[in-house]
């Protein structure tokens, strides 16, 4: 039986120039429930889908406040996400202590990425299995970054990660040109629509999603469930919204994920590029 | 070579007076804004009152560098508390934290004299008064700092709080209305400024009540 | 020498007495920014050992630092700040440390050193402009710090501050600001024995930092009390 000889530890290259363990970590991000983020010039909105593991349990928190000016939404191993959130919080507190000013978002993101990178180059470590959408505001404006387990990071106008995130990405790719000048409310609306896309026909309810906002004159805050439900109602997303065109890419992606989990997928661009 | 400098000391005394008065549904916290060293006035406008949480305010005098370090420490600790508990720290919790923080430096103390004022979980005014190494007591009113020896007996006389020896324990909050308390604090400071060279320039008064937080200023003698 | 101070001197390398020191620094806000003045003397005890010590330095784009006290400690501090600003610039991300941040950092450095009983023997004045905001603050060797419209260190606290309290205004023009600082510096030259008549005035505005070349002030020493200070003090040397 075929066995991949190059995926048993993080530091071994495959002859094709890939690090399988790192790629598997990237796959962990895709397994998690979706998280999305989008920004205007003045605001960032983060949103995520909350799915309880069982009907008897509550769901796990996937959006964390890091500081008044920074927040994260995560997809993948929530436990790893919490560890990284704690690191980010302490970096922010230390910076405020020394400089009495807020840590620029971009710098925190680089520090976070460097931390993730170390795990891809040490034989006794494992990469973090979590993707983070980092939203923040600093003197250069509002920012949205995506940090992934490989140690790469990217800045986005809007992005989605986690399972069936492709549907949300497709929605936002159609709309993103209007985001820069969008109002806070418009951003939230787009966030809800994008989240709805990832649900694949399931009804959008406040009980299965979390929304957080951050902007000029508004420190990072998670909207309470009632507010979210009112927003959903007000956008008339209950039923009369025509069922969004099913993105053909959504289904294949879902099928691809378990396949990649078996670890032999050689085709396609290396996920480190993303 | 003969010694040219006095022995170096890690401490200085920058003066200042703090007062806090608790009422049934309010708390008044006040301090002057003068900062001195020896006979020099360094600045006439330095706030000694620090908002640590929605319902707790700290007024501190003593060695300014230590006071600031203490405030920053508590601010950072409160940030962590908020991350972990998703709420603001209550005033009694902050009082215990302040005591622990001071005692942590028992053998190289923060040279800081604190009064913590705020509202408790029932919305009732509360005041905690400290020494430099963390022993503290919940009281109805208090004064700390360079002018405290002038102000404290005046408050004792005016507020006539029930003896702490009474059993069962009597409520320590003052019977005054909010406006009466503010007036009393203003009078106390105007008087202390007359005799204490480390108190003066301006009085900063912070009032905490059900409506929220309010700040007032009153000019004091500048000599 | 008492045995305690011997112990301190032989067993450690702490500044518990300074060697070469600079005297007062004065800083004021004015219409477009901040002005700081300091002379260029470096005293070795009561000996005037150095006469061209630069005690005003630009820190990054938005800050200006003046120092009195131990010159070597100041120069060490400048090395810290060089590292700090270089690291800040290396991010190359459009963010930069402003005077508020630099002042806060300095305060932490000074206070941490005092906590280790190993102070940097200085009083510092930090001025700057960022995002249209003027900033002027000071910090000393044990970490005491504050901001004000005008600040001074050392003798300046006694001799310059009273003048500044009388004459300082928010809308001082550059020329008026310089004249005011020169008035203070002249008093210091007359009355502070460590002050010398060779000084620099530095300006920081939104445009950046300019430090003047060294120059001297016109003085008049022909007052009879200056010429013969012991007249009327029969029997003294």
């Amino acid at each position: 039986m075929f066995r991949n000889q190059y995926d048993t530890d993080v530091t071994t290259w495959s002859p094709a120039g890939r690090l399988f363990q790192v790629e598997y970590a990237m796959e962990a991000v895709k397994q998690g429930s979706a998280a999305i983020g989008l920004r205007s010039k003045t605001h960032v909105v983060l949103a995520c889908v909350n799915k309880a593991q069982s009907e008897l349990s509550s769901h796990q928190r996937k959006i964390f406040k890091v500081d008044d000016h920074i927040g994260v939404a995560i997809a993948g191993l929530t436990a790893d996400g919490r560890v990284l959130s704690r690191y980010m919080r302490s970096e922010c507190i230390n910076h405020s202590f020394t400089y009495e000013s807020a840590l620029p978002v971009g710098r925190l993101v680089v520090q976070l990425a460097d931390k993730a990178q170390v795990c891809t180059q040490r034989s006794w470590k494992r990469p973090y299995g979590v993707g983070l959408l980092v939203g923040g505001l600093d003197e250069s404006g509002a920012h949205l970054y995506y940090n992934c387990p490989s140690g790469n990071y990217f800045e986005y106008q809007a992005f989605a990660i986690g399972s069936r995130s492709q549907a949300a990405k497709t929605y936002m790719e159609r709309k993103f040109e209007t985001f820069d000048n969008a109002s806070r409310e418009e951003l939230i609306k787009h966030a809800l629509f994008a989240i709805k896309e990832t649900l694949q026909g399931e009804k959008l309810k406040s009980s299965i999603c979390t929304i957080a906002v951050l902007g000029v004159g508004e420190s990072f805050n998670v909207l309470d469930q009632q507010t979210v439900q009112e927003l959903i109602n007000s956008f008339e997303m209950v039923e009369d919204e025509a069922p969004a065109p099913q993105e053909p890419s959504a289904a294949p992606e879902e099928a691809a994920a378990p396949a990649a989990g078996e670890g032999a997928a050689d085709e396609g661009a290396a996920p480190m590029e993303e | 070579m003969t010694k040219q400098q006095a022995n170096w000391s890690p401490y200085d005394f920058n003066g200042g007076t703090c007062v806090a008065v608790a009422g049934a549904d309010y708390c008044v916290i006040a301090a002057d804004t003068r900062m001195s060293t020896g006979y020099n006035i360094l600045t006439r406008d330095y706030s000694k009152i620090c908002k640590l949480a929605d319902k707790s305010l700290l007024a501190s005098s003593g060695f300014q560098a230590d006071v600031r370090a203490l405030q920053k420490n508590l601010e950072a600790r409160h940030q962590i508390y908020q991350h972990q508990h998703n709420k603001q720290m209550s005033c009694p919790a902050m009082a215990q934290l302040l005591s622990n923080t001071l005692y942590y430096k028992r053998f190289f103390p923060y040279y800081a004299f604190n009064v913590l004022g705020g509202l408790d979980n029932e919305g009732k005014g509360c005041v905690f008064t400290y020494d430099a190494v963390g022993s503290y007591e919940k009281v109805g009113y208090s004064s700390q700092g360079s002018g405290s020896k002038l102000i404290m007996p005046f408050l004792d006389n005016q507020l006539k709080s029930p003896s702490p020896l009474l059993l069962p324990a009597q409520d320590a909050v003052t019977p005054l209305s909010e406006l009466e308390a503010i007036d009393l604090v203003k009078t106390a400071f105007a008087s202390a400024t007359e005799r204490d060279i480390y108190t003066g320039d301006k009085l900063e008064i912070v009032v905490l009540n059900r409506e929220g937080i309010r700040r007032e200023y009153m000019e004091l003698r500048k000599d | 020498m008492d045995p305690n101070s011997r112990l301190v001197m032989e067993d450690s390398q702490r500044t518990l007495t300074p060697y070469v020191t600079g005297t007062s620094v004065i800083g004021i806000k004015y219409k477009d920014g901040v002005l700081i003045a300091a002379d260029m003397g470096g005293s070795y005890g009561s000996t005037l050992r150095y006469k061209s010590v630069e005690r005003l330095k630009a820190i990054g784009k938005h800050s200006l630092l003046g120092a009195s006290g131990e010159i070597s400690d100041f120069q060490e501090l400048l090395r810290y700040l060089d590292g700090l600003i270089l690291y800040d610039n290396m991010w190359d991300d459009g963010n930069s440390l402003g005077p508020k941040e630099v002042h806060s950092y300095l305060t932490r450095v000074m206070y941490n050193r005092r906590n280790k009983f190993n102070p940097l023997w200085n009083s510092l004045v930090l001025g700057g402009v960022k995002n249209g905001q003027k900033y002027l603050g000071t910090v000393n060797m044990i970490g005491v710090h504050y901001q004000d419209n005008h600040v001074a260190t050392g003798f300046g606290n006694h001799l310059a501050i009273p003048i500044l309290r009388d004459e300082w205004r928010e809308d001082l023009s550059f020329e008026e600001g310089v004249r005011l600082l020169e008035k203070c510096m002249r008093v210091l030259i007359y009355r502070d024995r460590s002050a010398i008549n060779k000084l620099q005035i530095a300006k920081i505005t939104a445009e950046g930092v300019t430090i003047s070349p060294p120059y001297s002030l016109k003085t008049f020493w022909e007052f009879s009390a200056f010429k013969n200070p012991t007249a009327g003090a029969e029997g003294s040397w």
Side-chain angles (χ1 to χ4, degrees):
Chain A
M1 194 184 119
F2 171 78
R3 212 181 91 80
N4 189 338
Q5 301 171 54
Y6 301 102
D7 70 349
T8 51
D9 71 69
V10 254
T11 55
T12 303
W13 290 101
S14 83
R18 300 168 61 173
L19 291 169
F20 284 104
Q21 282 294 328
V22 174
E23 292 179 21
Y24 300 158
M26 307 279 296
E27 290 304 320
V29 178
K30 293 186 191 163
Q31 312 275 351
S33 56
I36 67 152
L38 59 167
R39 59 155 254 256
S40 67
K41 277 182 186 146
T42 56
H43 286 78
V44 188
V45 173
L46 297 176
C48 67
V49 180
N50 292 123
K51 281 284 182 60
Q53 286 295 112
S54 115
E55 292 199 6
L56 297 172
S57 77
S58 65
H59 61 78
Q60 286 190 297
R61 254 153 53 88
K62 281 163 55 74
I63 291 188
F64 298 96
K65 179 175 183 155
V66 171
D67 204 340
D68 283 345
H69 69 298
I70 298 178
V72 292
I74 62 170
L77 293 186
T78 321
D80 284 10
R82 282 202 314 275
V83 168
L84 291 176
S85 305
R86 188 163 66 223
Y87 167 76
M88 293 166 83
R89 285 169 172 180
S90 94
E91 286 301 308
C92 282
I93 289 172
N94 289 342
H95 191 276
S96 310
F97 193 92
T98 311
Y99 301 102
E100 295 193 0
S101 71
L103 176 59
V105 200
R107 296 189 182 183
L108 178 62
V109 163
V110 173
Q111 284 181 272
L112 184 66
D114 289 352
K115 195 174 163 64
Q117 194 284 141
V118 171
C119 300
T120 68
Q121 223 178 2
R122 300 282 184 277
S123 61
W124 63 91
K125 291 190 170 183
R126 74 162 169 82
Y128 290 101
V130 68
L132 298 97
L133 288 171
V134 184
L137 187 73
D138 59 27
E139 61 178 282
S140 53
H143 299 280
L144 174 68
Y145 291 91
Y146 169 52
N147 273 79
C148 55
S150 61
N152 282 323
Y153 65 96
F154 308 90
E155 183 163 12
Y156 286 97
Q157 180 82 48
F159 199 53
I161 54 173
S163 66
R164 281 171 282 175
S165 57
Q166 187 54 49
K169 271 189 271 189
T170 311
Y171 171 83
M172 292 191 292
E173 277 162 13
R174 277 206 312 271
K175 307 273 183 170
F176 80 96
E177 274 153 328
T178 65
F179 288 178
D180 224 11
N181 295 307
S183 69
R184 175 185 184 275
E185 278 62 37
E186 283 167 333
L187 278 187
I188 295 175
K189 182 174 161 183
H190 286 304
L192 282 165
F193 275 100
I195 282 288
K196 188 181 161 72
E197 297 291 313
T198 70
L199 297 175
Q200 298 218 298
E202 193 185 335
K203 191 173 165 187
L204 178 63
K205 287 177 297 187
S206 59
S207 56
I208 54 162
C209 72
T210 308
I211 307 267
V213 194
L214 156 74
V216 175
E218 180 180 14
S219 61
F220 185 87
N221 63 298
V222 178
L223 303 185
D224 63 60
Q225 201 177 322
Q226 195 194 333
T227 315
V228 176
Q229 190 58 53
E230 281 164 13
L231 284 164
I232 293 173
N233 296 342
S234 73
F235 297 141
E236 293 168 349
M237 294 176 68
V238 193
E239 223 35 69
D240 49 348
E241 176 75 18
Q246 293 293 302
E247 298 304 329
S249 57
E253 198 218 2
E254 206 189 359
E262 276 146 42
D266 266 332
E267 64 281 321
M272 289 183 68
E273 300 289 73
E274 179 166 289
Chain B
M1 195 165 94
T2 49
K3 199 152 61 178
Q4 297 224 331
Q5 263 80 21
N7 249 338
W8 181 79
S9 164
Y11 289 115
D12 190 6
F13 177 68
N14 303 110
T17 307
C18 315
V19 167
V21 178
D25 58 352
Y26 67 87
C27 188
V28 179
I29 299 100
D32 67 315
T33 65
R34 174 176 291 184
M35 184 165 122
S36 344
T37 176
Y39 290 131
N40 292 321
I41 294 172
L42 293 174
T43 177
R44 297 188 191 279
D45 192 12
Y46 186 86
S47 174
K48 294 180 185 65
I49 302 176
C50 178
K51 188 182 169 199
L52 293 173
D54 278 356
K55 284 171 184 174
S56 33
L57 286 148
L58 177 65
S60 340
S61 58
F63 173 38
Q64 187 270 156
D66 274 349
V67 165
R68 190 66 197 122
L70 175 65
Q71 290 170 347
K72 291 180 88 153
N73 233 313
L74 294 171
E75 280 169 3
R77 293 293 297 268
H78 187 239
Q79 277 277 346
I80 295 169
Y81 182 95
Q82 285 179 81
H83 284 319
Q84 289 175 345
H85 301 275
N86 249 318
K87 64 174 185 185
Q88 295 272 313
M89 207 183 277
S90 71
C91 190
M94 187 62 81
Q96 183 61 51
L97 174 64
L98 173 54
S99 172
N100 295 153
T101 310
L102 289 167
Y103 191 77
Y104 183 77
K105 274 173 69 71
R106 171 63 180 77
F107 298 109
F108 181 24
Y110 285 122
Y111 193 51
F113 299 95
N114 302 292
V115 200
L116 181 72
L119 300 177
D120 65 13
N121 291 326
E122 279 76 53
K124 211 164 69 176
C126 52
V127 169
F128 298 87
T129 186
Y130 294 79
D131 74 359
V133 288
S135 66
Y136 79 113
E137 189 183 17
K138 184 169 189 277
V139 289
Y141 59 89
S142 187
S143 172
Q144 289 281 5
S146 59
S148 66
K149 34 180 106 37
L150 284 74
I151 289 183
M152 205 54 202
F154 172 70
L155 294 179
D156 286 334
N157 175 261
Q158 293 294 304
L159 294 171
K160 303 218 190 317
S161 77
S163 162
L165 299 176
L166 286 177
L167 284 173
Q170 301 278 296
D171 207 346
V173 296
T174 59
L176 302 187
S177 73
E178 185 183 301
L179 291 178
E180 286 170 328
I182 295 171
D183 267 357
L184 184 75
V185 165
K186 286 179 176 172
T187 313
F189 269 93
S191 309
T193 304
E194 294 288 332
R195 289 278 181 169
D196 178 21
I197 59 165
Y198 296 113
T199 303
D201 294 328
K202 200 164 73 177
L203 175 62
E204 182 183 23
I205 307 169
V206 187
V207 186
L208 206 57
N209 57 26
R210 207 175 301 118
E211 273 82 65
I213 192 165
R214 187 173 94 236
R215 240 164 246 265
E216 281 185 34
Y217 294 93
M218 185 182 85
E219 293 298 316
L220 293 170
R221 287 178 71 116
K222 302 209 162 21
D223 59 357
Chain C
M1 190 181 283
D2 79 294
N4 272 326
S5 71
R6 260 177 84 102
L7 225 153
V8 167
M9 293 187 74
E10 282 172 12
D11 293 354
S12 66
Q13 302 139 45
R14 292 173 173 171
T15 309
L16 293 177
T17 50
Y19 284 96
V20 180
T21 56
T23 185
S24 325
V25 178
I26 310 169
I28 57 170
K29 286 189 192 170
Y30 77 107
K31 187 156 62 66
D32 308 316
V34 171
L35 292 169
I36 301 182
D39 72 33
M40 304 189 75
S43 308
Y44 178 73
S46 50
T47 309
L48 204 213
R49 179 65 182 78
Y50 301 100
K51 299 175 186 179
S52 278
V53 183
E54 291 181 7
R55 299 198 285 130
L56 303 175
K57 292 281 181 187
I59 308 296
K61 275 207 175 83
H62 313 288
S63 313
L64 175 62
L65 179 64
S68 53
E70 174 66 48
I71 297 300
S72 65
D73 282 350
F74 173 53
Q75 290 171 354
E76 165 84 350
L77 192 65
L78 287 176
R79 285 191 281 275
Y80 292 169
L81 289 167
D82 265 355
L84 182 79
I85 296 299
L86 179 67
Y87 184 65
D88 191 46
N89 291 151
M90 280 165 65
W91 286 99
D92 195 22
D93 61 355
N95 294 293
S96 58
L97 294 169
K100 181 170 84 93
E101 287 79 26
V102 174
H103 186 225
S104 178
Y105 170 83
L106 284 173
T107 302
R108 272 18 272 165
V109 171
M110 300 306 268
Y111 184 71
N112 284 331
R113 291 290 294 256
R114 91 104 211 190
N115 280 348
K116 294 174 189 155
F117 283 71
N118 186 196
L120 290 170
W121 202 279
N122 302 105
S123 285
L124 307 170
V125 172
L126 189 104
V129 182
K130 194 182 174 189
N131 302 330
Q133 282 293 106
K134 287 176 264 185
Y135 188 97
L136 180 61
T138 172
V139 55
N140 73 6
M141 69 179 90
I142 50 177
V144 172
H145 60 281
Y146 55 91
Q147 299 170 50
D148 214 329
N149 295 319
H150 45 71
V151 298
T153 68
F155 253 88
N157 249 325
H158 299 96
L159 301 179
I161 289 292
I163 299 173
L164 294 174
R165 280 179 186 157
D166 273 354
E167 300 185 21
W168 181 88
R169 287 178 288 111
E170 184 83 59
D171 60 345
L172 238 37
S173 71
F174 171 68
E175 288 73 22
E176 289 172 321
V178 169
R179 229 173 299 139
L180 181 54
L181 282 180
E182 286 177 346
K183 183 173 180 178
C184 296
M185 291 307 281
R186 186 174 285 110
V187 173
L188 285 164
I189 290 160
Y190 280 134
R191 294 316 341 183
D192 173 1
R193 67 151 192 213
S194 326
I196 64 165
N197 195 0
K198 180 177 172 187
L199 63 128
Q200 288 178 300
I201 290 185
K203 157 180 101 153
I204 182 160
T205 61
E207 271 67 60
V209 178
T210 328
I211 303 179
S212 78
Y215 70 106
S216 54
L217 297 175
K218 226 172 108 186
T219 51
F220 182 75
W221 296 94
E222 303 305 310
F223 297 112
S224 55
F226 279 169
K227 281 193 198 163
N228 187 4
T230 56
E234 208 66 47
S236 92
W237 54 270

